């Protein structure tokens, strides 16, 4: 049986978009309550009855979010000098793909109505 799991995480951070015109509101430093959705896809283990323990997902994702992004200015994080939602998705994919087996997509919710989905390369 093939399934897709999703687990959500949150962190707080500030950023500015240095490549937009100076009069654009996102050129100024501002903050977001980011919501990240991590999706995994694969075959259910017939022995355990699950794809992977949700706790195992959290134990791999939370250290990256809390240790590297939470309550930071994202522009100061190496690789996120222009921290758009799109580039944040790709950055997270690069950091999480080696440690989260079966990763199928990352969604960054910048606001309650704006999000970006990245499915890797």
């Amino acid at each position: 049986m093939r399934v897709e799991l999703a687990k959500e995480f949150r962190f707080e951070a500030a950023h500015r978009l240095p490549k937009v015109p100076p009069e654009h509101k996102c050129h100024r430093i501002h903050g977001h309550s980011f919501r990240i959705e991590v999706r995994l896809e694969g075959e259910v283990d017939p022995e355990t009855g699950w794809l992977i323990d949700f706790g195992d997902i959290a134990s791999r994702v939370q250290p990256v979010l809390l240790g590297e992004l939470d309550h930071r200015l994202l522009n100061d994080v190496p690789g996120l000098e222009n921290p758009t939602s799109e580039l944040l998705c790709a950055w997270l994919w690069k950091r999480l793909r080696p440690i989260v087996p079966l990763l199928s997509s990352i969604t960054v919710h910048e606001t309650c109505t704006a999000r970006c989905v990245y499915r890797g390369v």
Side-chain angles (χ1 to χ4, degrees):
M1 176 173 71
R2 191 161 187 83
V3 298
E4 182 179 61
L5 295 183
K7 180 130 179 78
E8 290 187 3
F9 302 89
R10 296 177 187 274
F11 70 93
E12 307 290 328
H15 71 157
R16 64 179 289 277
L17 301 183
K19 298 192 177 189
V20 299
E23 62 276 3
H24 192 286
K25 67 180 183 177
C26 293
H27 188 75
R28 297 186 301 272
I29 292 176
H30 59 283
H32 292 286
S33 295
F34 287 94
R35 186 166 54 101
I36 306 300
E37 185 176 281
V38 175
R39 289 184 177 264
L40 291 74
E41 188 175 336
E43 296 292 326
V44 172
D45 182 326
E47 183 69 28
T48 63
W50 62 26
L51 178 64
I52 187 172
D53 185 339
F54 282 109
D56 288 344
I57 300 169
S59 71
R60 296 163 194 218
V61 173
Q62 283 178 321
V64 173
L65 298 179
L66 299 179
E68 298 183 45
L69 302 177
D70 189 51
H71 284 82
R72 303 215 185 240
L73 177 61
L74 296 182
N75 301 74
D76 292 342
V77 175
L80 288 175
E81 293 79 11
N82 182 32
T84 64
S85 291
E86 295 86 342
L87 296 176
L88 180 55
C89 271
W91 186 92
L92 284 165
W93 180 274
K94 184 177 178 183
R95 292 288 290 117
L96 296 177
R97 182 70 174 121
I99 59 173
V100 179
L102 309 172
L103 185 64
S104 61
S105 72
I106 303 270
T107 303
V108 170
H109 298 258
E110 188 172 293
T111 69
C112 58
T113 62
R115 66 184 172 273
C116 177
V117 178
Y118 185 71
R119 292 184 177 84
V121 177

